[in-house]
Amino acid sequence: MNAMFDHADAFIVLPNGLGTLEDIFHIFSWAQLNIHQKPIGLLNVNGFYDNLLSFVDHAVEQNFLTSLARQIIISAATAEQLLNQLQSFIPVIDSFISRIQ
């Protein structure tokens, strides 16, 4: 994971199983802690990640995540759409997390 993290400009996640979910939340938690500002792209083929995205949105609604932290996760149905969104991603530092560090 550390080698991938050190050399990556972004993270692209394909539909997969529990190990992939662990990796998503691992790298997402690092983003929330401002360890990085690299986008996480979910290739949401046939809506595979719809329920996961709903859960993350619910966590924002319940104030377990900030809306700025939520913006680091990008999803698209096709690889072309996802790459376009990742290329236009502009990181925003979450000042709330910065204050508690």
Side-chain angles (χ1 to χ4, degrees), residues 4-80:
M4 175 182 69
F5 175 79
D6 290 338
H7 298 289
D9 294 323
F11 304 97
I12 296 177
V13 184
L14 306 177
N16 214 321
L18 289 177
T20 300
L21 290 174
E22 178 185 9
D23 290 340
I24 292 169
F25 283 107
H26 188 139
I27 206 70
F28 186 38
S29 67
W30 285 1
Q32 186 180 12
L33 294 170
N34 287 329
I35 294 171
H36 74 86
Q37 289 83 39
K38 302 172 184 181
I40 302 166
L42 303 180
L43 187 56
N44 195 17
V45 176
N46 295 326
F48 184 86
Y49 285 115
D50 285 352
N51 289 332
L52 177 66
L53 293 166
S54 292
F55 168 75
V56 172
D57 291 338
H58 178 70
V60 171
E61 292 168 9
Q62 298 299 310
N63 296 315
F64 287 99
L65 291 172
T66 65
S67 58
L68 286 175
R70 168 60 178 92
Q71 292 175 22
I72 201 135
I73 296 182
I74 297 168
S75 69
T78 69
E80 183 179 357

Side-chain angles (χ1 to χ4, degrees), residues 8 22 82 89 101:
E22 178 185 9
L82 186 58
F89 176 80
Q101 290 181 336

